[in-house]
Structures are given as C-alpha cells and as structure tokens.
C-alpha cells in the first residue's frame, strides 16, 4: 500500500514538474521569436535608411541563438526515466540547469546590440536596436518605463495569476525596490498599521525599515 502511495505521489510530482518546464520553455521560445522579429525590423530599417548595422553584434546574436537551439533540443530529447527517485532528481537538476543557461543566454541574445537611448542623434551608425524606442516620447532608459520591463511584469502577473486587486512591480536593483517600499510606507500607512515581512529578510532592508517612525514590524 505504501509503495502504491509513493508511486502516485511521484507521478503527481512528475506531472507538476512537466507543466512547469513546459511553461518556462514556451516562454523562452516566445521571447526568442520576439527578439528575432525585432532583429529583422532593425535590419530592414538599416537597409531603408542606408545605415550601417552592427554586423558583428548580429553575428554574435545568431551564435547565441544557435547555442540556445541546441540546448532546447537537449531539453526536449531527454525524458524522465522509470528509475529511482535519485535518478529523477538528477534529471530535474539537469533540466533546471538547461533553463538557467537558456535564460542567461537570452539576456545576451539581443541586449548587447543596444547602445544608447534613441534620444541621441543618429548618424551613419545607428545607436539603437529596439525600434519601439524610436517612436516613444519619453527618455528610453532600461530603468525608466522600459518596454521589456513592462513585458516581464505582464508575464509574471499571468504566472502568479494575480487579479485586478494586485499590482506587480519589477525594480532595477535592491535599492530601487526598497525605495518603492519606503515611499509606500511613508505615504500610505499610518502609525497603527503593521508590516509582515518574510523570513529570511535582507538585513540591510530590515535595518532601514526598523528606524521608520511609528512602524511596527
């Protein structure tokens, strides 16, 4: 009886792992297609405007893409066996390593082509990559109303299944994240309100919060 229960539990775990892997891989593939589309738009604009594209950057980007495709192929080919829990744990570890490296490579897929804000004058050599920034009226810095940050916030909102009562904000650094929390506390909370913090909690942020007037943690 115990053996049957363990088998059912392991089958449920495998099903949950499969769903999670499928979501993460499909997300990576979708983002790859988005970068490919952006690259094609970038090349077309350079051709239309008689600008010199960053050919070296494009070669590097294509090389990174080929490495990612090889890792994706390895990911799809390897399937969990019918062996022990130890063997399955090893399989999960390898798949997580592949996803981690795919995410790291994705960060290099197109971002290394980006030079500066589109607010700078363009000459013979384009100082931009993301064409969406060319039509924006704001200063296009990664830390200020970035399209990519907004896309990631939307994806994470869907992943965590957040409804309209919740908002998800990505910050560019730990200090920026703390500034958001501190501003909310000082503007919207009263002295009788309490804040519940997770454990473990970053000690510097806790030290800063602990000296806020009338704040109970």
């Amino acid at each position: 009886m115990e053996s049957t229960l363990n088998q059912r539990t392991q089958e449920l775990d495998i099903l949950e792992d499969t769903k999670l892997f499928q979501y993460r891989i499909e997300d990576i593939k979708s983002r790859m297609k988005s970068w490919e589309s952006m690259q094609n738009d970038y090349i077309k604009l350079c051709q239309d405007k008689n600008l010199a594209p960053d050919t070296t950057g494009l070669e590097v980007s294509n090389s990174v893409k080929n490495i990612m495709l090889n890792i994706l192929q390895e990911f799809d080919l390897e399937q969990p066996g019918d062996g022990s829990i130890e063997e399955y744990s090893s399989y999960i570890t390898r798949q997580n390593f592949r996803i981690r490296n795919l995410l790291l490579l994705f960060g290099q897929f197109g971002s290394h082509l980006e030079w500066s804000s589109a607010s700078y004058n363009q000459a013979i050599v384009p100082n931009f990559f993301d064409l969406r920034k060319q039509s924006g009226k704001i200063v296009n810095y990664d830390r200020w109303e970035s399209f990519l940050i907004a896309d990631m916030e939307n994806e994470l909102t869907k992943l965590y299944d957040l409804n309209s009562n919740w908002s998800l904000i990505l910050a560019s650094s730990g200090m920026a994240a703390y500034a958001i929390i501190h501003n909310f506390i000082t503007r919207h909370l009263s002295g009788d309100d309490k804040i519940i913090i997770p454990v473990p909690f970053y000690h510097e942020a806790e030290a800063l919060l602990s000296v806020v007037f009338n704040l109970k943690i």
Side-chain angles (χ1 to χ4, degrees):
M1 182 68 178
E2 183 178 354
S3 176
T4 303
L5 288 175
N6 288 337
Q7 183 177 359
R8 288 179 180 175
T9 301
Q10 187 172 355
E11 289 175 351
L12 289 174
D13 289 341
I14 292 174
L15 183 61
E16 289 298 319
D17 290 335
T18 301
K19 288 181 179 179
L20 177 60
F21 283 151
Q22 183 179 7
Y23 172 83
R24 300 190 72 179
I25 290 298
E26 289 303 318
D27 177 58
I28 291 172
K29 289 180 178 179
S30 175
R31 292 160 69 183
M32 282 181 64
K33 289 181 180 179
S34 176
W35 270 112
E36 286 180 310
S37 177
M38 289 167 60
Q39 280 193 2
N40 292 334
D41 291 341
Y42 167 78
I43 293 172
K44 185 178 184 304
L45 181 73
C46 289
Q47 292 172 343
D48 293 343
K49 301 290 185 181
N50 199 26
L51 299 173
D54 182 358
T55 53
T56 302
L58 289 170
E59 289 175 3
V60 173
S61 182
N62 288 331
S63 297
V64 171
K65 175 191 168 185
N66 289 332
I67 296 173
M68 293 180 70
L69 291 175
N70 289 335
I71 296 176
L72 284 170
Q73 186 177 27
E74 292 176 2
F75 189 97
D76 292 335
L77 288 176
E78 184 171 10
Q79 301 295 326
D82 299 326
S84 63
I85 294 178
E86 289 77 12
E87 290 178 353
Y88 183 72
S89 297
S90 179
Y91 159 78
I92 292 295
T93 300
R94 289 191 299 274
Q95 296 293 67
N96 278 320
F97 281 158
R98 290 183 174 113
I99 288 177
R100 174 180 176 274
N101 281 281
L102 282 169
L103 291 173
L104 291 172
L105 287 167
F106 183 79
Q108 304 174 33
F109 187 23
S111 60
H112 63 279
L113 288 170
E114 194 70 50
W115 284 19
S116 61
S117 168
S119 62
Y120 290 92
N121 292 330
Q122 310 301 331
I124 298 175
V125 177
N127 293 323
F128 61 88
F129 169 65
D130 188 349
L131 268 59
R132 292 176 296 179
K133 294 183 178 182
Q134 300 299 298
S135 59
K137 296 181 179 179
I138 61 173
V139 177
N140 294 301
Y141 298 123
D142 285 342
R143 298 188 181 200
W144 184 263
E145 297 188 16
S146 166
F147 293 101
L148 297 178
I149 298 298
D151 289 344
M152 284 190 282
E153 287 175 342
N154 290 333
E155 288 298 324
L156 287 172
T157 298
K158 295 176 184 177
L159 175 63
Y160 293 121
D161 195 23
L162 300 180
N163 58 36
S164 58
N165 296 325
W166 297 85
S167 296
L168 186 146
I169 300 175
L170 290 180
S172 58
S173 67
M175 198 63 237
Y178 174 77
I180 294 171
I181 296 171
H182 186 273
N183 286 335
F184 180 84
I185 290 171
T186 55
R187 294 182 184 185
H188 300 287
L189 299 187
S190 64
D192 295 329
D193 291 325
K194 294 182 180 180
I195 294 178
I196 300 174
I197 62 174
V199 177
F201 188 60
Y202 191 51
H203 67 281
E204 289 188 8
E206 184 176 10
L208 291 169
L209 286 175
S210 64
V211 297
V212 177
F213 183 68
N214 281 340
L215 181 64
K216 298 176 182 179
I217 299 179

